Amino acid sequence: MGLTMTVNGPDISGLPPLEISGRIGKLRACLVGDQPDCLVVTALANVRYLTGFTGSAGVLVVTPDAAMLATDGRYRTQAAEQLEAGSVSEVELVVGRVDAQREAIVRIVRDSAGGRVGFEAEHIPWAQEIRWAELFAPFEPVATNGLVEGLRVVKDEGEIARIAAAAEIADAALEEVASMIEKAYTESEVALALDVAMRRHGAEDRAFETIVASGPNSAKPHARPSDRVIESGDPVVIDFGADVDGYKSDMTRTFFAGGETSTRMAEVYAAVLASQVAGVEAVSPGVTGGFVDEVCRTHLRSVGLADAFEHGTGHGVGLDIHEAPSVGPGSAGILAAGAVVTVEPGAYLAGIGGVRIEDTLVVTTDGRRALTSFAKDPAWR
Ligand code: ZN
Ligand code: ZN
């Protein structure tokens, strides 16, 4: 039998364009006060955000009056095309071997007004930092944290449309694959079917390694799919997402194979669902991520499951599957309209099973809108 590869997902080509061209200007507006004058951007997601360049190697330098993208020969044509497509043709493109790239970067920094050059402390290995410090001497390297990530928190219309499309694809893929859960397939088989379905519905990739965890494996929040055959009555935690044009979605649903389970697991499911629904409703502009976490946690605590919920409630989603703002105990960042976050409480009973339910939501001016919409009610188990 031949492969049927009908692509019937959302129309990706009809999505509103990404507004890339103003982003470097917004970054420059942050390079004031105690911040350095120039920033060497080494995190690829940040390079992509600021320029539209999607290659696997590249360094962007932003100075007060210039910007330069350095990459290697594999990306000569692609980088030029993507800078043009993003309307960021003011970014000088340097293509060459690593030495030539470094030389060009040092030159543009030396030519710029200030003498303080910033690095993304969270994204630069120690050895590389030492090498850069030697090259830039006597300029002083300055550690920065989250400058571009801060700009990425509030998404524009084009970004939200891509995350929504990724979420829609994930919904459709799960709809197709859910019936496999009761038919004695292995975890790996279900995971592979989901990955293929997402691609067939128009995803560029999966957002991260798909989790399908059944029976006792479901009590491990980040289990990898194994060759374990799913048995009737097993809880099955499925956590996965799609990638559309670099933007990701993230959703978890928990099923009970064959629609039946123990009284205890049914209670746990009801508790996690109530916690998740309360957490979703708590997401509003102006509240902290910590507040949403506490709402979910309070609920699980009230039914004696505090110790069974050992991870944070959620995280931001965008070009990275885990990005700002965080939604965990004490997360002080305020949720702003346009931020995209997950709410994913869970409860895990070692050796028995676990339940997690997760949606990806966009914060709106008057609350939130769920982008993932696969049913959560028990009828779907
Ligand atoms: Zn997830
Ligand atoms: Zn997540």
Side-chain angles (χ1 to χ4, degrees), residues 208 239-240 250-252 315 344 356 358:
F208 55 91
D239 186 352
F240 71 113
D250 194 1
M251 175 166 78
T252 309
H315 50 87
E344 52 179 301
R356 179 165 67 258
E358 170 180 33

